[in-house]
Amino acid sequence: DTEVTQTPKHLVMGMTNKKSLKCEQHMGHRAMYWYKQKAKKPPELMFVYSYEKLSINESVPSRFSPECPNSSLLNLHLHALQPEDSALYLCASSHGRFANPADTQYFGPGTRLTVL
Amino acid sequence: KNEVEQSPQNLTAQEGEFITINCSYSVGISALHWLQQHPGGGIVSLFMLSSGKKKHGRLIATINIQEKHSSLHITASHPRDSAVYICAVSGIPDSWGKLQFGAGTQVVVTP
C-alpha cells in the first residue's frame, strides 16, 4: 500500500466554522507533512511531524492547528479561517526521520478548501 | 530569489513529440526530485536523483551535479502526459529535509 489518503476531497466553510482535514497513511512512514498550495503556485510547507512530534511550524497562523494522534494519522484543525486561506491542502509522508533529505515524499490527493 | 529555476514555464507539444524540461539550482543539494501534478491536485513523485540518470517507461531524468542542472525528458508524448511538472531539491544546508520547489512547468500535449 503506497497510498496517502485525504478526506474530505472538497470542503466549503464559513469564517466562523470549525472543521478538520484528515490524512492517513499505512506505509509505516514516520514523517508527515502539511502543505498549502494556491493556484498556479508550488506547494508551501506548513507543518512537519517526525515520529508523532511537531518538528517544523513554518510560522503558520494559529487558526491552523495540526495534530498527529498516531503514526498513521495526521489532522489539520481549522478555525476562524479567512477567504485568503482558500487553497488546496496537501498531506505527504516519508519513510524515516524528517531530517533525511534523501527520502521520497508521497503526496495525498489533497483537500480543496473554500472559505466564504 | 528562488534557488530552483525551471524552464520553460509553459510548453505545448503535439502527441508523439519529445519533450524536455530543465531545472537549475544554485546551492549544494542532497537530492533532486521530479514531481507530476495533474489538474485536480494530487502530486506524484516521478524520480529522486542524486547522480546520473534514471528511466521509468517513457520518462527519463538526468542530473549533472557539477553544473547544478537536471532535465526531465518525455519520449513519445501523449495527451495523458499533460500536467504540471515540478522540480524540487532537498538537502539544502540549514533546511533539513525540506523540499525547495521550482515554479513548475505546465505541459499540454495535444492529439
Side-chain angles (χ1 to χ4, degrees):
Chain A
D1 183 3
T2 57
E3 193 180 19
V4 175
T5 58
Q6 289 187 244
T7 54
K9 287 188 179 177
H10 300 275
L11 179 62
V12 179
M13 60 187 289
M15 289 190 284
T16 58
N17 292 157
K18 284 187 183 181
K19 296 285 185 184
S20 296
L21 310 185
K22 180 179 167 182
C23 172
E24 203 160 1
Q25 56 87 14
H26 296 286
M27 294 179 277
H29 289 175
R30 303 313 297 269
M32 295 186 77
Y33 311 74
W34 279 116
Y35 289 90
K36 173 183 176 179
Q37 187 179 26
K38 301 285 268 185
K40 299 191 184 301
K41 298 287 187 185
E44 299 170 32
L45 184 65
M46 299 174 72
F47 302 104
V48 182
Y49 275 82
S50 180
Y51 285 75
E52 294 102 70
K53 287 187 171 28
L54 184 63
S55 296
I56 296 284
N57 176 342
E58 292 285 271
S59 303
V60 179
S62 60
R63 57 186 185 268
F64 296 91
S65 174
E67 179 197 20
C68 190
N70 59 58
S71 60
S72 300
L73 192 54
L74 185 66
N75 297 320
L76 185 64
H77 302 298
L78 314 172
H79 173 55
L81 294 193
Q82 303 296 310
E84 59 264 28
D85 296 321
S86 298
L88 180 69
Y89 288 84
L90 292 158
C91 173
S93 69
S94 62
H95 179 71
R97 289 186 180 275
F98 167 61
N100 183 353
D103 273 346
T104 295
Q105 289 187 24
Y106 294 82
F107 287 82
T111 294
R112 180 80 56 188
L113 174 68
T114 302
V115 182
L116 301 176
Chain B
K1 180 182 181 295
N2 195 350
E3 288 156 333
V4 183
E5 299 284 344
Q6 274 187 248
S7 63
Q9 277 190 307
N10 298 281
L11 184 159
T12 299
Q14 280 204 307
E15 184 173 356
E17 287 185 340
F18 183 84
I19 290 171
T20 295
I21 303 167
N22 295 301
C23 177
S24 297
Y25 52 93
S26 56
V27 294
I29 64 170
S30 295
L32 184 141
H33 309 254
W34 282 103
L35 311 169
Q36 179 193 56
Q37 187 170 31
H38 279 286
I43 291 177
V44 173
S45 179
L46 299 175
F47 297 103
M48 183 177 65
L49 296 158
S50 53
S51 65
K53 178 178 174 178
K54 288 190 176 180
K55 184 175 189 288
H56 185 255
R58 295 179 294 103
L59 300 178
I60 302 167
T62 63
I63 188 168
N64 184 318
I65 297 293
Q66 287 73 31
E67 294 187 4
K68 295 186 169 60
H69 180 269
S70 175
S71 293
L72 177 68
H73 307 285
I74 306 174
T75 62
S77 60
H78 190 275
R80 65 176 174 267
D81 297 324
S82 298
V84 175
Y85 293 83
I86 305 171
C87 172
V89 298
S90 58
I92 295 173
D94 300 326
S95 69
W96 290 38
K98 289 185 197 178
L99 291 177
Q100 180 81 36
F101 295 93
T105 296
Q106 175 77 61
V107 171
V108 174
V109 182
T110 58

